[in-house]
Amino acid sequence: MEVYEYPAKPRGAVCIGVDWGRHNDRTAIVVICIELTGKYRLIEHRLLLKTPYNTQKTIIKTIAQKYPACCIIAEVNGLGDPLVESLRLETHRQIIPFITTSASKKAIIETAVSLMESGAIVLPAYNSHGVLISIAKDLTDELSQFECIESRGGGMKYTAPDGAHDDL
């Protein structure tokens, strides 16, 4: 974690990630700046619960307007495919579809862990008497609860515990 203004001004390429949800699952919108230094800095994020899809798309479009050259990567599992198609037509942007599978989730988590351990992923914090406190507490809470458990087939499965979330 690092102390910096949040939401932050980008100092490099911007990418918006979208994980759709609605009722029991939340929609997560994460905006990352890929800096010339090789760091991935969280510059903005939103969590939406019980939010109509048209409102979700409006929020994503509003965020994307702040970053004209950004790329958007959106999950296409379930209802994601028609939402991505609609968002593509409404924003006139190329949207990179992403399919979440056990294998892709494993790759994401393992890459994120490696980048966090190396200090390449930077999350916002504030300094409270010499202690860094996360500004993105919802994100750091999710990360701290994440589990790696053995699946029935003998492989490793990454997931949030029952009642917790893994959207961000």
Side-chain angles (χ1 to χ4, degrees):
M1 287 190 289
E2 253 180 47
V3 175
Y4 60 91
E5 181 182 331
Y6 188 79
K9 292 180 176 64
R11 299 180 299 202
V14 174
C15 190
I16 300 172
V18 180
D19 178 5
W20 302 100
R22 175 120 183 229
H23 295 290
N24 298 322
D25 202 15
R26 307 170 305 178
T27 292
I29 305 164
V30 177
V31 185
I32 300 286
C33 177
I34 305 158
E35 299 177 346
L36 296 175
T37 61
K39 295 205 181 244
Y40 298 81
R41 184 176 302 275
L42 178 68
I43 58 173
E44 185 174 350
H45 77 288
R46 303 269 179 90
L47 272 174
L48 310 172
L49 179 62
K50 297 181 181 174
T51 304
Y53 289 122
N54 280 336
T55 303
Q56 292 183 36
K57 290 189 306 176
T58 299
I59 291 167
I60 294 165
K61 289 187 291 188
T62 301
I63 291 170
Q65 286 173 348
K66 293 192 267 182
Y67 312 104
C70 71
C71 73
I72 300 174
I73 301 172
E75 182 182 40
V76 292
N77 297 44
L79 284 175
D81 200 28
L83 292 170
V84 167
E85 184 178 323
S86 173
L87 191 61
R88 183 179 292 123
L89 292 171
E90 293 173 25
T91 61
H92 305 289
R93 290 178 186 256
Q94 179 182 4
I95 300 175
I96 301 165
F98 184 82
I99 298 172
T100 303
T101 64
S102 295
S104 66
K105 189 172 186 177
K106 181 178 187 284
I108 290 169
I109 299 305
E110 290 176 356
T111 301
V113 167
S114 175
L115 291 170
M116 281 186 260
E117 287 175 348
S118 72
I121 291 180
V122 183
L123 302 176
Y126 65 92
N127 189 328
S128 176
H129 308 292
V131 177
L132 292 181
I133 308 293
S134 174
I135 290 174
K137 186 161 175 18
D138 44 8
L139 172 60
T140 53
D141 284 351
E142 275 191 22
L143 290 170
S144 69
Q145 295 172 7
F146 223 77
E147 298 177 332
C148 179
I149 58 175
E150 189 173 346
S151 68
R152 291 182 185 152
M156 299 312 288
K157 178 180 175 186
Y158 294 91
T159 188
D162 287 342
H165 295 278
D166 63 358
D167 309 304
L168 288 166

